[in-house]
Amino acid sequence: MEKFATLEPVKLYASAASTGARILGRGSVQKPAAMAPLVGRLPSDLHLLILSYLPIPDISSYSRCCRATAVFAKDDSIWDTRWKALGIEKDPGFKRVLDILDRKSNDKIVESRAAGPPIIPVDDEFGDFTTADVFAPPEEMGDFVGAFQHVPTTPSKFGSYAFPTPNDTSRTKYIRAHTLLKPLTRLLSSAPHVVLSDLAAGVSDSLYEEAKTLRLLSLFLSPAIQPVRQWDSIYSSLRTSMDRFDSTLLAAFDVADGKGDEAGMREAAESSWEVWDAHSGDWEMGKVWAEKREIFYQQGRWRPLDNFTTEGQLDFLAMDEFMDVILRSIDEHGARAVRVFPPASQVLLLFSERLANEVVGEYITTLLSRAREISNDTYLKSAAASFREAWKMVDAIMEAAKQRPDSNVLRNKAEDVVYQMFEINMDEYLDEEVESVKLAFDVICKGWDQEASVSSPTQTRQFISTQNPAMLKRNVLASFTSLLLLPVTIVPRTVGAVGGALMTGGSAAVQGIAMLNPQRWGGAGGGTGGTAGAGYSKNLGKQNGMLFEVEEEEEDYVPPIKGATPDKNISLTHLEITSPTPLMGNNGASPLPSSSSGSSTANQLDLLLSLDVALEIIHADRESLKRVETFAGYPGHYGHRVRDTIEEIFILMLQALGDHHVSKGFSQATERMKDYKPAEHSDTSNVAPLVQFFELVHIGDTIQSIMQVYFDKELAHHIDKTDFLNAVVREKKRFENSLDDSVALGLNAGTEVLMNQVEHIILTLTKAREYYPPEDTPLELGPTRGCQEAIRCLENHCKLLKGSTSKEVLEVFYQEVGLRLIGILQKHIKRQIISLSGGFQVIADLNAYNTFIASLKIPAISADFSHLKMLGHVYVVEDAKDLAQIVKDVTRYGGAYRPEDVYEFIQRRSDWKKIEKIVDKTMYNLSFKEDCTIC
């Protein structure tokens, strides 16, 4: 209990007379700040608060209560808000109005005093606001009477409360403005036309100064100031006069507009802007001016349907002409609006918005309706092209805004003009874009499956026939990267043949692998030869076309294609050559002889994947992506939708390519490999399914690399690549993992097929007495034919896999081959009868196998083969006792073998019956005659 502090009594409620300690917590109090001095029963700060809300006439009454309240009435804080409400310090025009009023008031006072009797000034404390009204009727002098004329030059104090000196304070500045403006309120009791006439004759020198005077009076007669008792009724009269004045200005503006007098237009516009009530709606003058532009009444002059040819193709030359008219209108009328109207009115944007909605928007709506009737593809291309054409308005608006340095037209506001105009089309467009991509991917994948199942093409390999597949792929990817840099045509136009290639609007035939054929980069055929007639070319459309169409403005781009003449356009003449994965019959010679002799070419595994299909899918995706990217700058809700659509399009591409083509192809290949029977094929050097699967792996690896390049070039800047929760990042990772898993499963099946082939070679090519030759047969210290053929088969297939998969997968494959080869050789040796001379043949074969395994550079299996090679020595030792010692050495240093394992191998010696007892006694210290009893 001694750990707890004793609670002290705390006073919960402090009296008003006490020091007023405020409780913060148990045992903790805080003293409040010193209270303001009291004046009567109220503190001084409360008096000031009351004064800040009183109308001006009541302040004089309040100040007359006592000298203390008279001092409060002079405090600058209650006048500061009223002075700022006039806005005189912010607007030099208001200062000029006061100066004019001051000058004319002084002139009037001088004239009046000269004509009247002498006046003896009276010194009192309540005359500060009566100077200007000295000649006014007595009944008009009662609105504001009190203030304090004789103010001490040093700060006065009441208790501890200090007040500033009146020199150049908000109070003195307001008194001047009040003194000058209050006489004008008497004019507002007349009819509006009389008010304007008197104001123009006696106050202002121009329309603009008259407008500034009316504006200043409207601020003076506001709830924030309340300068007279009936300020609200006087303000209503003022508002009526301002509206009549605005009508007069509108007429003057029309007259100046008809004459082309921009100076007169500017004066009328700026004056109208001053008297306009911002709470009454749109500014009438700017609205009326915009409505009178002739372009709003010429819709019949343009025909949106002229953008379609008689065949239903797009040709936006008609819209080019239409947009030229729109841009000239912005340049002419918009520039004049900037020069004439006040910058704050933003008439340029008002005119542009109406032009966009009523003229451009109607044109685009009619165009898209017709495009929808033709086809969905035409609609999508028309939507993107129309937006791209309408976007020219933004630059035109910004160019017109340069007519005035202070135009204050922001680019994002100019962009909003087009964005808001096109919003009505965005929901339908984005939905259709996604559905169109889904359909395109489905058609491509199903078309490939159907054609591959019914056709019997001649097999053509490129990757497995080259000496450096990795270099080949790098060249292909470099070409693909260059092609990605070519812009996609968004606005279709019909032009003539350029550089031998017919540029069609919006839809180009996909030339597939003909654009990126490996043979062009130094494949098996050597050089860059290859003609269109030598191989398959997949065309989904016209024979003349482009993979990715080139914009006309890209004048300086030269794609880096070896062996081709640099040209602005990539034509089929330059690029069409043999496809490594053909779909239809190929008359060209294959770089390798077909390895599927005796089997149907329809079962070729390397035809289960196609770079053609991958490029077609990428082309369809990129074409859609580039259309959607046209809207990438959209703000707000549609901006989020556009970004989501970009991600969804890429995800759909990954799913189509991964699930419906790559994974499906590898799965079919794996199943077909399992049906391969080595005994049914005469060719022992090549395992046809495995060779084809290796080509499949090369194709799959190239597809993945192309996909990575495409992702980096086209999509990476739209997403955060480091966000592992992003849908695109996750789907891309799933695509890569699925490909890796498919390759791993296929390699596992391929390894089984390869080792079955190796075992078949060893069994069929090993002679009956290969390891038990007759005594008079001379020894040939070299590997047997079966060993040579098996090693050649293994070498051929291991080399084919290099450069097609990762180093880790390659090492796993090599290790699996080595382990299975050890098992095959052990079984093979245990099936033989081996003589002493045949033992040397065994060692020669094991040495050859060991050399091959060492070339794979896999330490784990190299050690296992060293142990197997050591085991071969048990067949070349003649003395049985020495043999037993070798067995002990093998089991001691060759840790993979136990004594009983070695014992099984020794039993395959041809002299085993002779040496069995000696070996047993030496190895196990056994003697059957002495140690065994047969009952």
Side-chain angles (χ1 to χ4, degrees), residues 909-926:
R909 286 176 58 114
S910 60
D911 57 350
W912 172 245
K913 294 299 181 180
K914 298 179 182 179
I915 63 174
E916 180 180 6
K917 294 180 180 180
I918 300 174
V919 171
D920 289 342
K921 184 175 181 180
T922 305
M923 290 181 61
Y924 306 109
N925 294 320
L926 293 178

Side-chain angles (χ1 to χ4, degrees), residues 199-443:
L199 195 65
V203 178
S204 61
D205 297 330
S206 65
L207 288 176
Y208 183 70
E209 290 178 357
E210 186 176 355
K212 296 296 286 188
T213 304
L214 290 171
R215 181 66 175 171
L216 185 56
L217 279 174
S218 69
L219 297 175
F220 181 64
L221 297 171
S222 64
I225 298 177
Q226 303 180 38
V228 294
R229 296 193 184 280
Q230 296 181 349
W231 65 270
D232 49 351
S233 61
I234 297 176
Y235 178 79
S236 298
S237 177
L238 174 65
R239 189 68 253 172
T240 303
S241 300
M242 294 173 71
D243 291 341
R244 184 179 181 89
F245 181 66
D246 193 22
S247 300
T248 304
L249 292 175
L250 185 58
F253 182 87
D254 287 340
V255 172
D257 188 16
K259 296 179 180 179
D261 180 11
E262 291 192 1
M265 295 171 64
R266 185 182 306 108
E267 183 182 18
E270 291 176 349
S271 301
S272 176
W273 181 256
E274 289 295 333
V275 299
W276 171 60
D277 182 8
H279 302 288
S280 62
D282 294 334
W283 183 37
E284 190 68 17
M285 183 170 289
K287 184 178 179 180
V288 170
W289 174 85
E291 287 177 350
K292 291 184 177 181
R293 301 309 98 191
E294 294 182 0
I295 194 170
F296 295 113
Y297 310 101
Q298 297 177 343
Q299 281 87 340
R301 175 182 171 186
W302 306 287
R303 294 175 50 83
L305 301 186
D306 289 345
N307 292 282
F308 302 93
T309 64
T310 55
E311 295 82 11
Q313 299 298 320
L314 289 174
D315 179 9
F316 266 46
L317 293 179
M319 190 168 187
D320 288 337
E321 297 175 358
F322 166 72
M323 287 305 302
D324 287 342
V325 176
I326 298 297
L327 299 180
R328 285 197 301 270
S329 177
I330 295 177
D331 181 61
E332 178 185 353
H333 302 299
R336 171 169 289 184
V338 173
R339 294 192 300 268
V340 167
F341 294 102
S345 64
Q346 298 287 285
V347 176
L348 171 61
L349 293 178
L350 175 68
F351 169 71
S352 301
E353 287 175 3
R354 184 163 183 175
L355 188 63
N357 294 327
E358 298 184 11
V359 181
V360 180
E362 291 296 328
Y363 186 95
I364 290 177
T365 299
T366 305
L367 188 152
L368 294 182
S369 298
R370 175 55 181 159
R372 165 67 74 186
E373 296 173 359
I374 296 175
S375 69
N376 190 49
D377 183 63
T378 303
Y379 167 76
L380 296 176
K381 292 176 180 178
S382 299
S386 299
F387 181 83
R388 177 67 66 84
E389 287 284 281
W391 191 255
K392 296 177 181 178
M393 294 180 63
V394 176
D395 294 331
I397 293 172
M398 297 309 299
E399 190 65 28
K402 294 179 180 179
Q403 294 289 321
R404 190 166 179 170
D406 60 343
S407 61
N408 196 29
V409 176
L410 302 178
R411 184 172 182 85
N412 62 335
K413 295 296 183 181
E415 292 175 351
D416 287 343
V417 171
V418 180
Y419 285 139
Q420 293 171 4
M421 176 270 294
F422 208 82
E423 274 186 359
I424 60 173
N425 304 303
M426 287 302 295
D427 286 319
E428 181 182 10
Y429 166 73
L430 293 176
D431 292 340
E432 289 298 333
E433 195 71 70
V434 173
E435 294 301 320
S436 175
V437 166
K438 288 181 181 178
L439 180 62
F441 293 160
D442 187 60
V443 169

Side-chain angles (χ1 to χ4, degrees), residues 188 245 379 477 487 781 874:
L188 300 177
F245 181 66
Y379 167 76
L477 292 178
L781 297 180
V874 300

Side-chain angles (χ1 to χ4, degrees), residues 872-911:
H873 290 83
V874 300
Y875 299 111
V876 295
V877 178
E878 186 173 358
D879 191 297
K881 294 182 179 180
D882 293 339
L883 178 62
Q885 184 60 41
I886 291 177
V887 171
K888 292 181 180 180
D889 293 340
V890 170
T891 55
R892 182 182 301 115
Y893 302 109
Y897 299 98
R898 296 170 298 175
E900 54 267 32
D901 296 331
V902 180
Y903 192 81
E904 293 182 8
F905 285 100
I906 297 175
Q907 289 177 339
R908 308 316 302 163
R909 286 176 58 114
S910 60
D911 57 350

Side-chain angles (χ1 to χ4, degrees), residues 27 334 397 479 493 519 611 637 675 683 737 741 851 881 893:
I397 293 172
S479 177
R493 298 181 181 90
Q519 189 183 37
L611 288 178
H637 166 70
D675 298 333
D683 190 354
N737 291 340
D741 293 343
T851 301
K881 294 182 179 180
Y893 302 109

Side-chain angles (χ1 to χ4, degrees), residues 444-512:
I444 292 172
C445 293
K446 287 184 178 179
W448 165 261
D449 294 338
Q450 181 179 1
E451 292 186 30
S453 62
V454 300
S455 61
S456 55
T458 301
Q459 185 179 21
T460 304
R461 299 192 191 94
Q462 296 294 330
F463 290 105
I464 61 176
S465 64
T466 186
Q467 295 180 354
N468 193 340
M471 179 62 71
L472 192 61
K473 289 177 192 175
R474 284 195 292 270
N475 290 334
V476 171
L477 292 178
S479 177
F480 179 74
T481 304
S482 299
L483 290 172
L484 282 181
L485 297 176
L486 296 177
V488 173
T489 295
I490 298 298
V491 181
R493 298 181 181 90
T494 301
V495 296
V498 180
L502 179 63
M503 300 292 294
T504 58
S507 60
V510 181
Q511 299 306 321

Side-chain angles (χ1 to χ4, degrees), residues 149-205:
Q149 183 176 4
H150 302 287
V151 182
T153 57
T154 59
S156 60
K157 294 187 178 180
F158 183 82
S160 61
Y161 193 88
F163 299 95
T165 60
N167 298 328
D168 199 25
T169 62
S170 297
R171 177 175 175 269
T172 57
K173 289 185 287 187
Y174 174 78
I175 289 174
R176 176 176 178 263
H178 183 96
T179 304
L180 296 173
L181 293 174
K182 185 173 178 294
L184 299 180
T185 59
R186 294 193 301 271
L187 301 175
L188 300 177
S189 59
S190 305
H193 67 280
V194 176
V195 171
L196 296 177
S197 177
D198 293 344
L199 195 65
V203 178
S204 61
D205 297 330

